[in-house]
Amino acid sequence: MTTDKQFKRAARELAEREGISYTAARRRLATDPEAGVSAPLTAASAAAEDDQESTPPLIYPTAGAPCPVDCDGTAHPNAVCWLWRPQDSKHVRHEVRRAAQLPNGRAGELCHRFEPPASGYANGSFFGREATWLLALVYAMLTDQYPELRPGRAELWAAVETDDQAAVDAVMEPLDRAAARLLTKVPEQWWGEVKPRLDAYADFIETDDRELRTWQDIDDRHHVGCLVDQWRRAWTPVRNYNGYMDAPGVLWLAPKGWLDDLLVEQHGGHGDGARVRLTDGRPAIVYAAEWSEAGAPVAYRIRELEPGRHGNIGKLVPSLTSDELVPRDLVAGELNDVA
């Protein structure tokens, strides 16, 4: 048996023995090879194991079609309910179903709708699309920590069956707002608050031993586990083309822009890139919005516009050294007299 196969077998045994995920077991073995060595069996313990009969796995039949949202199981005795999911709706447009699927589907739909197209990429820039999984991980964390943010199954079913994107956006708005308040374009806030919180959630998922009651719970756990694995890989150094060890990272600014554009589209305000004039006369450009529980933005993060130099003479360009949070009342309106 090769060393790689031995390592994989040891990781599986450690995961089963400790009740942790396979990924967490591999990571522990990489740092502590002795963790995979189990205590030898004594004669008494070996005999006791031989006396125990192995318990066969229990197989539960599942209903053959999605159940009504108010199903109590009487319609299909001795079978487990097939809980409705957005992908089970027929005669509904793909983009409507995708916008209702958490966490991956909705994150991908927002990227598709709001990531600006780039040359060679019809569905948005390469780096922007790469950040889709980060928004999905944020959705997973928020719905796990705050279950009230997840729309009810009956409410979501009614929205999807209308075949209306706006109806789905309406029931998802509390979750979108929570994600928009969490995500940021401020480096100090990202590195000091958001990333540590996602690290802690990844640690929780890798040691999560909650009981899985349905096959759909198993699917959801698998998808979240894949997102956590991608999060770990994003911060694991690899050798780049220059020969240096560097972490791939993720374009964490992009999802905040998608959420701001979505909420501005629904409630008005100034979106990412809008040129505005402040009440004191200064021209500025908006690059992020701050949100409350409801309504339009309560404040904006802006950068002042200043006369360009060198090849930008005669134009107003953003000052990248300025970063100011201004209340909504201090923004007078759109700036229409500049190119």
Side-chain angles (χ1 to χ4, degrees), residues 73-144:
T74 57
H76 45 79
N78 302 320
V80 178
C81 286
W82 179 338
L83 301 178
W84 174 89
R85 296 191 294 180
Q87 51 267 48
D88 294 324
S89 289
K90 307 300 181 184
H91 311 295
V92 174
R93 289 174 296 156
H94 168 68
E95 56 268 26
V96 176
R97 296 196 305 269
R98 182 169 62 173
Q101 295 170 18
L102 289 172
N104 293 290
R106 182 153 187 82
E109 176 61 22
L110 294 191
C111 173
H112 177 77
R113 287 162 61 181
F114 297 107
E115 178 63 23
S119 177
Y121 298 99
N123 294 326
S125 70
F126 173 78
F127 295 107
R129 289 187 292 111
E130 277 294 296
T132 303
W133 65 266
L134 176 61
L135 180 56
L137 180 61
V138 169
Y139 279 147
M141 180 182 71
L142 290 174
T143 53
D144 213 355

Side-chain angles (χ1 to χ4, degrees), residues 34-328:
E34 296 298 325
V37 179
S38 57
L41 291 175
T42 62
S45 60
E49 285 194 357
D50 290 339
D51 292 339
Q52 293 178 355
E53 295 183 1
S54 59
T55 303
L58 299 178
I59 300 177
Y60 297 96
T62 304
C67 297
V69 292
D70 58 349
C71 180
D72 59 1
T74 57
H76 45 79
N78 302 320
V80 178
C81 286
W82 179 338
L83 301 178
W84 174 89
R85 296 191 294 180
Q87 51 267 48
D88 294 324
S89 289
K90 307 300 181 184
H91 311 295
V92 174
R93 289 174 296 156
H94 168 68
E95 56 268 26
V96 176
R97 296 196 305 269
R98 182 169 62 173
Q101 295 170 18
L102 289 172
N104 293 290
R106 182 153 187 82
E109 176 61 22
L110 294 191
C111 173
H112 177 77
R113 287 162 61 181
F114 297 107
E115 178 63 23
S119 177
Y121 298 99
N123 294 326
S125 70
F126 173 78
F127 295 107
R129 289 187 292 111
E130 277 294 296
T132 303
W133 65 266
L134 176 61
L135 180 56
L137 180 61
V138 169
Y139 279 147
M141 180 182 71
L142 290 174
T143 53
D144 213 355
Q145 296 176 348
Y146 306 100
E148 65 274 11
L149 293 176
R150 182 187 290 271
R153 199 176 300 274
E155 183 183 19
L156 189 59
W157 173 82
V160 171
E161 288 298 317
T162 64
D163 196 17
D164 184 6
Q165 189 82 271
V168 176
D169 290 343
V171 299
M172 289 289 184
E173 184 175 335
L175 178 59
D176 292 332
R177 282 183 174 270
R181 289 195 297 269
L182 174 67
L183 291 173
T184 179
K185 290 188 177 181
V186 181
E188 294 81 5
Q189 186 177 351
W190 165 259
W191 296 106
E193 300 176 20
V194 183
K195 185 178 182 297
R197 184 170 171 181
L198 288 169
D199 284 332
Y201 179 66
D203 294 338
F204 167 76
I205 289 298
E206 289 177 338
T207 58
D208 187 10
D209 59 354
R210 289 174 295 179
E211 182 182 2
L212 303 178
R213 297 182 178 275
T214 66
W215 61 270
Q216 290 153 323
D217 290 340
I218 297 174
D219 278 355
D220 293 341
R221 181 74 60 84
H222 170 72
H223 292 318
V224 175
C226 290
L227 293 172
V228 168
D229 289 343
Q230 196 156 2
W231 172 259
R232 296 300 194 192
R233 289 195 300 270
W235 309 109
T236 302
V238 295
R239 195 172 301 279
N240 60 23
Y241 65 93
N242 287 324
Y244 296 101
M245 299 299 291
D246 191 17
V250 61
L251 189 63
W252 48 268
L253 300 91
K256 170 63 173 173
W258 306 337
L259 292 166
D260 284 350
D261 290 342
L262 170 69
L263 295 174
V264 165
E265 184 180 87
Q266 294 174 348
H267 299 282
H270 304 290
D272 185 15
R275 294 186 170 220
V276 298
R277 187 176 297 279
L278 305 182
T279 53
D280 59 8
R282 289 180 296 159
I285 187 170
V286 173
Y287 73 97
E290 300 292 327
W291 301 92
S292 63
E293 295 292 336
V298 295
Y300 297 98
R301 287 206 166 269
I302 58 98
R303 287 182 174 143
E304 288 190 68
L305 291 173
E306 59 184 14
R309 296 183 296 275
H310 309 297
N312 291 318
I313 296 176
K315 296 182 179 180
L316 291 179
V317 297
S319 173
L320 299 183
T321 59
S322 66
D323 181 351
E324 186 177 349
L325 181 64
V326 298
R328 178 180 57 191

